[in-house]
Amino acid sequence: SDDSSSEGPPQRTKSPDQRIEEEILTLQSELRTYHRHAAYDSALDTANQLLEKTSSHFGKLHPATASACNNVGLMHKLLGNYAEAREAYHESLRVYGEVCGKDHASYAAALSNLGMLERGRVLESEAREG
């Protein structure tokens, strides 16, 4: 009998960095799924976990951390938590500005998100006063 099928390539153990980066990728994937299915409470929990992991792994001044801040802002916005959304968007902008520069596409996207948040709030208040 041929037992060679049970022997795969030798399993390399993953470094702690590889494990954390895989966890980050998994969280990003979960976040996209929750967002797509409009499960914003779960998405916010996941976005906060992602922010915690990127901050501790890459540091506060890193594009992945800025992106995670942006995700937290988006989920807060979708849940109607506008003050928290603004705070997260501002943090994302600050980090992107320092890490990528203010002429970078990521900075522009974060600025646009903040602008859309403010625009939405203005339109909402005008509709209420209407």
Side-chain angles (χ1 to χ4, degrees):
S1 85
D2 184 12
D3 284 339
S4 65
S5 65
S6 65
E7 287 185 28
Q11 292 298 310
R12 293 208 330 262
T13 56
K14 292 177 181 161
S15 72
D17 277 354
Q18 283 174 309
R19 275 198 297 275
I20 290 170
E21 286 167 21
E22 279 177 11
E23 287 171 24
I24 288 170
L25 289 172
T26 300
L27 286 170
Q28 288 169 332
S29 175
E30 280 175 24
L31 179 61
R32 282 191 295 275
T33 301
Y34 288 137
H35 180 249
R36 195 169 41 248
H37 295 287
Y40 302 135
D41 285 312
S42 298
L44 178 59
D45 289 343
T46 304
N48 279 317
Q49 289 174 49
L50 191 55
L51 178 55
E52 204 173 286
K53 279 229 188 290
T54 56
S55 295
S56 63
H57 183 64
F58 296 115
K60 295 235 182 275
L61 289 178
H62 190 279
T65 304
S67 175
C69 283
N70 199 56
N71 288 329
V72 168
L74 176 60
M75 296 315 138
H76 273 303
K77 176 190 163 191
L78 293 169
L79 288 164
N81 308 331
Y82 298 122
E84 292 89 342
R86 185 183 304 110
E87 195 176 309
Y89 281 154
H90 273 291
E91 181 61 11
S92 174
L93 256 184
R94 189 185 70 72
V95 175
Y96 275 134
E98 258 187 77
V99 177
C100 303
K102 293 187 177 179
D103 56 353
H104 192 273
S106 296
Y107 183 85
L111 192 57
S112 172
N113 287 340
L114 187 58
M116 293 302 281
L117 174 69
E118 297 305 336
R119 181 174 179 268
R121 289 173 45 89
V122 167
L123 293 174
E124 246 177 45
S125 69
E126 284 174 358
R128 274 198 305 272
E129 292 162 10

